[in-house]
Amino acid sequence: MKKFRYLKNVATLKLDQEKCNGCGNCTRVCPHTVFKLENKKAEMIDFDACMECGACALNCPEEALTVTPGVGCAAYIIQTWTGKEVGACC
Amino acid sequence: MKEDNCGTQNCGCGPMVTIPMENSACREPNQTCGGTADMDLNDEACCGPSNHTVSNPFEKPGYKILPYVKRFHHTDNGTYPVIYNDLKFKDKAGTVFTRFGYNRSHYKVSPGLYCSGAPDENSDVFVSANYKISFDHLRRSLKGLDAWILVIDTMGVNVWCAAGKKTFSTGEISTRIKNVGLDKIVKHRKIVVPQLGAPGVSAREVKKNTGFKVVWGPVYTKDIPKFVENKLKTDNDMRKVTFSMAERTVLVPVEVMLVMKISLIIILALFVISGFGPGIFGIDRMVDRGSLISLFFLSGIFAGAVVTPVFLPFLPGKPFALKGIFAALISTAPLVYFYHGKIAITGLIAMLLVAFAISSYLAMNFTGATPYTSPSGVEKEMRKAIPVQLTSVIIALFLWVFAAF
Ligand code: SF4
Ligand code: SF4
């Protein structure tokens, strides 16, 4: 997946290491290896690979992770702009 | 089929229920699953006229036994369909049709519990979406394994998209576990959920609701045998999504089908616009110029819906809108080579702009089908790209009409 990189510094992903208990859930659910456990704390090793799927935040027991998840196709986003009730796209 | 290679023990041609038999050799009744009722359904019966459909013991009025069901497995807690682990022609054909967008939202499997082989109370439980293609992938990779398959209702949508839409969810898994009474069927308390379902499933909540622990399974079902060998552990590679050329190419037909209808409308409009010129409206002009600009337009569609997905990592730029423009440069090159000098430069520019704009838009829309573009990124690129795309179309149409005079 390394050859696929999307725009830099846009992901809404945030990690609060203070809250992290080192359970490792985020490393198990992330499909892009964004996290690594280092000294019992999660660390972001590949922030720009995040596609905002929301899996890590949903499965973090300490609410140490936040992200705004969504569906990323243009037709869908245009629909949200125009404020219509939307059927997602995939 | 030959009648004489069957034994007689099950094959009374009399009024009793005829048990379908393996046609080559009549097997002993299957011991593990309790008697003759577990014989395969699709094997031909061994007597009677060959074109006579022999009823099998599972027939019920108003029900149809599906082609991927091999037999039924009886347990103290109920009877469950045992699936074939090999895909048949019909399954493969179904996949192809679905990939082309035909019947895509109705290609489903009924939610509930299924068996691979002859599972018992210690066997693993694999959760699947009820999209038939997901289900097919799973049963194929469970070949040789005795396992339970818990199909949940995702309205016929694959795991990844369903998790994004929250139909592959904590709630649905929890309800389904309770509905099938999984706690009575297996002694252990764990279920294997595909990792790509994680955006919709909180393992903690499932455990709280049902007592079952979620074990995250591999992203790709092909890794399941290794995962089972590893005692239900995924290694790093099993957790990563990939987006190979093959994976991208299978998405092409749907991309094309999705734009087909709107493309026809646009082409009609292009023909109408092409008719304007000196003397107001000319039919000949409409046909000539209309087909020309439509050709460029189609070349743009090809660039956005075919070239972009297939050659994605090789197209320069990170924003997809930009990749789409490069793809259109390639796809229109032969046309430019052929037509330059033969038509007015303004006309040529107009046609190219149309092709670039549509390709750029379609490429951008393809972000929805990739497993790595973040919605925040897509929105960011759209805010810049859409005004540009719209402006090009307006300029193009203006130039096109102008070029007619
Ligand atoms: S949102 Fe998804 S892709 Fe991003 S870090 Fe979390 S699990 Fe990984
Ligand atoms: S899931 Fe949350 S608590 Fe667990 S390692 Fe990741 S950030 Fe830390």
Side-chain angles (χ1 to χ4, degrees):
Chain A
M1 241 12 230
K2 283 280 172 203
K3 63 180 169 181
F4 294 103
R5 273 294 174 274
Y6 196 43
L7 311 186
K8 276 194 179 16
N9 293 319
V10 287
T12 48
L13 177 69
K14 287 200 179 65
L15 164 65
D16 181 350
Q17 276 192 329
E18 293 288 297
K19 291 185 182 166
C20 172
N21 68 9
C23 72
N25 283 353
C26 51
T27 63
R28 273 186 290 273
V29 295
C30 177
H32 290 293
T33 337
V34 169
F35 307 99
K36 198 173 101 188
L37 275 190
E38 197 68 63
N39 302 324
K40 302 231 164 112
K41 290 278 179 195
E43 235 173 59
M44 293 202 261
I45 52 169
D46 199 357
F47 177 80
D48 288 324
C50 174
M51 62 165 300
E52 303 180 315
C53 71
C56 54
L58 185 62
N59 281 284
C60 173
E62 304 294 334
E63 296 180 356
L65 287 162
T66 51
V67 64
T68 313
V71 187
C73 84
Y76 177 84
I77 292 174
I78 292 178
Q79 283 172 310
T80 61
W81 284 351
T82 54
K84 259 191 277 171
E85 204 30 60
V86 277
C89 45
C90 74
Chain B
M1 64 169 293
K2 291 194 219 85
E3 296 183 16
D4 53 35
N5 63 3
C6 278
T8 49
Q9 74 271 40
N10 293 313
C11 200
C13 304
M16 60 177 283
V17 178
T18 312
I19 307 294
M21 303 288 290
E22 210 84 69
N23 49 7
S24 52
C26 282
R27 301 183 321 187
E28 284 302 309
N30 190 326
Q31 299 303 331
T32 46
C33 303
T36 51
D38 279 314
M39 303 307 283
D40 294 359
L41 294 172
N42 281 32
D43 303 327
E44 291 170 79
C46 47
C47 57
S50 55
N51 59 353
H52 171 72
T53 317
V54 179
S55 56
N56 69 58
F58 305 109
E59 272 193 3
K60 272 192 199 172
Y63 288 83
K64 186 171 149 197
I65 295 165
L66 293 162
Y68 49 81
V69 176
K70 193 177 190 177
R71 54 188 160 84
F72 286 82
H73 179 37
H74 299 288
T75 71
D76 295 341
N77 293 300
T79 299
Y80 303 99
V82 178
I83 46 79
Y84 281 100
N85 291 102
D86 291 308
L87 302 192
K88 296 183 186 173
F89 176 74
K90 207 170 168 181
D91 300 312
K92 291 176 187 163
T95 300
V96 172
F97 274 117
T98 312
R99 296 277 188 218
F100 276 88
Y102 170 78
N103 201 20
R104 196 156 75 114
S105 45
H106 300 284
Y107 202 48
K108 304 186 210 181
V109 180
S110 300
L113 201 59
Y114 294 76
C115 316
S116 165
D120 61 21
E121 57 195 18
N122 297 315
S123 306
D124 296 325
V125 180
F126 289 83
V127 176
S128 169
N130 78 328
Y131 182 47
K132 174 79 173 8
I133 297 181
S134 310
F135 179 72
D136 283 354
H137 282 163
L138 179 60
R139 63 193 171 98
R140 196 173 48 189
S141 42
L142 288 176
K143 189 170 183 173
L145 295 172
D146 295 327
W148 299 99
I149 301 174
L150 180 64
V151 175
I152 66 168
D153 190 359
T154 59
M155 309 190 192
V157 172
N158 70 46
V159 174
W160 178 250
C161 296
K165 291 183 197 166
K166 311 294 181 226
T167 49
F168 192 102
S169 66
T170 310
E172 171 57 21
I173 293 186
S174 308
T175 325
R176 204 53 64 180
I177 289 178
K178 287 182 188 151
N179 281 357
V180 303
L182 196 61
D183 55 344
K184 295 189 201 67
I185 293 164
V186 291
K187 279 204 300 208
H188 61 76
R189 288 292 173 264
K190 57 179 189 292
I191 50 169
V192 178
V193 177
Q195 187 200 316
L196 288 188
V201 178
S202 158
R204 229 167 338 132
E205 294 291 315
V206 172
K207 171 99 195 218
K208 206 160 80 188
N209 296 343
T210 65
F212 278 85
K213 176 177 185 255
V214 169
V215 178
W216 298 111
V219 166
Y220 294 98
T221 52
K222 68 167 171 41
D223 289 327
I224 284 179
K226 205 164 146 219
F227 169 76
V228 171
E229 222 172 85
N230 280 357
K231 303 205 163 56
L232 305 192
K233 290 220 166 52
T234 47
D235 57 35
N236 258 337
D237 281 339
M238 291 185 203
R239 292 189 203 140
K240 282 187 214 161
V241 284
T242 57
F243 203 37
S244 64
M245 190 178 273
E247 287 171 274
R248 299 193 303 271
T249 308
V250 295
L251 300 174
V252 167
V254 165
E255 294 295 312
V256 174
M257 299 309 264
L258 287 179
V259 293
M260 205 98 117
K261 205 170 118 199
I262 184 77
S263 303
L264 284 178
I265 298 172
I266 294 178
I267 288 177
L268 268 178
L270 287 175
F271 267 92
V272 172
I273 291 168
S274 301
F276 292 105
I280 304 304
F281 200 87
I283 296 292
D284 283 353
R285 185 161 55 218
M286 178 179 93
V287 174
D288 286 355
R289 301 185 74 233
S291 24
L292 196 57
I293 195 167
S294 296
L295 191 63
F296 276 76
F297 173 76
L298 286 174
S299 161
I301 299 260
F302 179 75
V306 182
V307 178
T308 306
V310 175
F311 297 101
L312 193 67
F314 309 108
L315 294 166
K318 280 185 179 154
F320 279 49
L322 198 60
K323 286 177 184 286
I325 293 178
F326 280 106
L329 273 175
I330 300 168
S331 76
T332 52
L335 296 177
V336 173
Y337 179 78
F338 187 76
Y339 284 108
H340 82 99
K342 296 192 182 133
I343 49 174
I345 189 75
T346 39
L348 195 60
I349 291 173
M351 294 191 295
L352 283 175
L353 283 177
V354 167
F356 291 177
I358 186 71
S359 173
S360 173
Y361 178 78
L362 290 180
M364 201 173 67
N365 205 34
F366 185 64
T367 53
T370 75
Y372 75 101
T373 49
S374 58
S376 300
V378 177
E379 185 148 3
K380 182 178 171 190
E381 100 163 62
M382 283 172 64
R383 289 196 185 282
K384 288 188 192 154
I386 288 194
V388 179
Q389 290 157 357
L390 278 178
T391 319
S392 338
V393 170
I394 293 166
I395 296 176
L397 295 181
F398 187 77
L399 284 179
W400 187 240
V401 174
F402 175 79
F405 288 92

